[in-house]
Amino acid sequence: MEATRRQVVIAQAEQAAATKHWSRVARDWIGRFLLYVVVVAGAAIFLFPLFWLISSSLKPEGDIFEFPPNLWPSQFMFENYPNALANFPFFQSGFNTMLIVIGVEVGRLLSASLTAYIFARVRLPWRRPLFVLVLSTMMLPYHVTLIPQYIIFRDLGWLNSFKPLIVPSFFGGGAFFIFLLRQFFLSIPKEYDDAARIDGCGTFGIFWRIILPLSKPALGTVAIFTFMGEWNDFFAPLIYLNTPDKWTLALAIKTWELTQQAGLGYKPQPYNHIMAVATLITLVPMVMFFFTQRYFVQGVVVSGLKG
């Protein structure tokens, strides 16, 4: 009788444990499923404009204005791309854009990393108040300093050139990037600096041979942010570049689009051609980010470890 009761108790305990296990598994699966639903829905929301852009670039022009709108082209017109490039100065504007991007990349990576290294490693009087002062410049809207900068560049004779867009990046690189790199430099153990000094490295040698090679994720993050910002920048080129041979892609396609909207005497450009050029311009930073996202995520995460 006692043995039978013990077997019943054991069976009930095993059944309760199994029920609890499968209940936990079900909760995990339901939670994971709901998480995937949220992620997929969010991705669909953010990807829909890109899908609409690509779809419109392959449509006949009349299909773009259909109501209700049709998501898929009634006829795939791949010839929109070569026809658009035949009328749009893609390669000249792309060369101008890449020239600005490369110049800003070099200036920002060098100056921001050096400034961040000084704030993170070099003992200077008033280092923290100066760092706070640098960060406070992030609170100033760009438009507040626009007129003084324009007057300075005008007096230097730099208007309608790439200098106003490139040269300022060699002077600090921006408060946000200084902060990002400083936070990453603080996460590097100072024992590396001490070992390098014992081997005869000076302050700049430690920065160049120790800190920079260990900071590839943070430097990659700065490079990605810079590429995205400069590739898509419209406002600054609009202010400083006047002639079409100097225009960047963002400025050139907007002007090309306005000729279609306002009829400014230029050859009218079909909207499907405008969408085709916009697709090509958009795909470049997307492909670049796709291959470098690992460095971007790692740099952003690690840069927030220490204050």
Side-chain angles (χ1 to χ4, degrees), residues 171-187:
F171 294 90
F176 172 75
F177 298 106
I178 293 173
F179 170 77
L180 182 70
L181 291 173
R182 173 186 176 271
Q183 297 303 105
F184 192 94
F185 293 165
L186 289 175
S187 67

Side-chain angles (χ1 to χ4, degrees), residues 14-303:
E14 291 178 349
Q15 184 178 3
T19 303
K20 184 177 181 180
H21 169 72
W22 287 111
S23 176
R24 184 169 61 252
V25 171
R27 286 198 304 269
D28 291 343
W29 276 100
I30 293 174
R32 188 173 300 178
F33 174 76
L34 293 176
L35 177 62
Y36 286 157
V37 169
V38 172
V39 170
V40 171
I45 293 174
F46 284 100
L47 289 176
F48 180 77
L50 178 63
F51 170 77
W52 179 259
L53 177 66
I54 298 175
S55 175
S56 300
S57 69
L58 297 172
K59 293 179 179 179
E61 186 177 15
D63 291 1
I64 299 177
F65 303 99
E66 284 185 345
F67 188 84
N70 188 8
L71 296 181
W72 295 99
S74 61
Q75 176 185 358
F76 285 87
M77 300 184 62
F78 294 98
E79 61 270 19
N80 287 340
Y81 285 86
N83 292 340
L85 292 178
N87 298 316
F88 180 77
F90 185 86
F91 297 102
Q92 177 64 46
S93 301
F95 175 79
N96 296 338
T97 305
M98 286 303 302
L99 187 63
I100 295 172
V101 168
I102 293 173
V104 175
E105 289 274 16
V106 173
R108 182 164 291 163
L109 288 174
L110 287 176
S111 61
S113 59
L114 185 58
T115 306
Y117 173 72
I118 293 173
F119 281 124
R121 286 293 204 261
V122 180
R123 294 183 178 180
L124 295 175
W126 305 98
R127 183 179 64 177
R128 288 187 177 274
L130 286 175
F131 182 65
V132 172
L133 181 62
V134 170
L135 291 184
S136 65
T137 61
M138 296 174 60
M139 310 302 293
L140 292 175
Y142 174 76
H143 306 82
V144 172
T145 59
L146 176 63
I147 295 178
Q149 286 182 354
Y150 183 86
I151 294 174
I152 293 173
F153 295 142
R154 182 200 62 187
D155 293 342
L156 291 173
W158 287 3
L159 297 184
N160 198 31
S161 71
F162 299 143
K163 294 178 183 178
L165 306 175
I166 298 177
V167 173
S169 63
F170 284 85
F171 294 90
F176 172 75
F177 298 106
I178 293 173
F179 170 77
L180 182 70
L181 291 173
R182 173 186 176 271
Q183 297 303 105
F184 192 94
F185 293 165
L186 289 175
S187 67
I188 300 176
K190 291 187 177 181
E191 287 77 7
Y192 293 152
D193 298 25
D194 299 334
R197 291 188 188 279
I198 293 175
D199 290 339
C201 259
T203 301
F204 184 78
I206 294 173
F207 164 74
W208 189 256
R209 298 183 179 182
I210 305 298
I211 300 298
L212 286 186
L214 293 174
S215 304
K216 291 180 181 178
L219 295 174
T221 303
V222 173
I224 294 171
F225 272 123
T226 300
F227 184 91
M228 297 293 184
E230 298 304 320
W231 183 269
N232 297 315
D233 189 20
F234 171 76
F235 188 72
L238 176 65
I239 297 298
Y240 296 111
L241 304 179
N242 302 325
T243 56
D245 62 307
K246 296 287 200 314
W247 285 348
T248 61
L249 286 170
L251 185 56
I253 190 174
K254 186 60 181 177
T255 307
W256 202 50
E257 176 188 356
L258 288 176
T259 60
Q260 164 71 6
Q261 293 178 353
L264 300 180
Y266 299 93
K267 181 180 179 181
Q269 304 302 329
Y271 281 97
N272 51 358
H273 290 185
I274 295 174
M275 297 295 183
V277 174
T279 300
L280 294 176
I281 296 175
T282 304
L283 289 180
V284 173
M286 288 189 61
V287 171
M288 184 262 189
F289 180 78
F290 178 79
F291 287 104
T292 58
Q293 59 178 324
R294 179 168 60 91
Y295 297 100
F296 174 78
V297 174
Q298 185 179 358
V300 171
V301 171
V302 178
S303 296

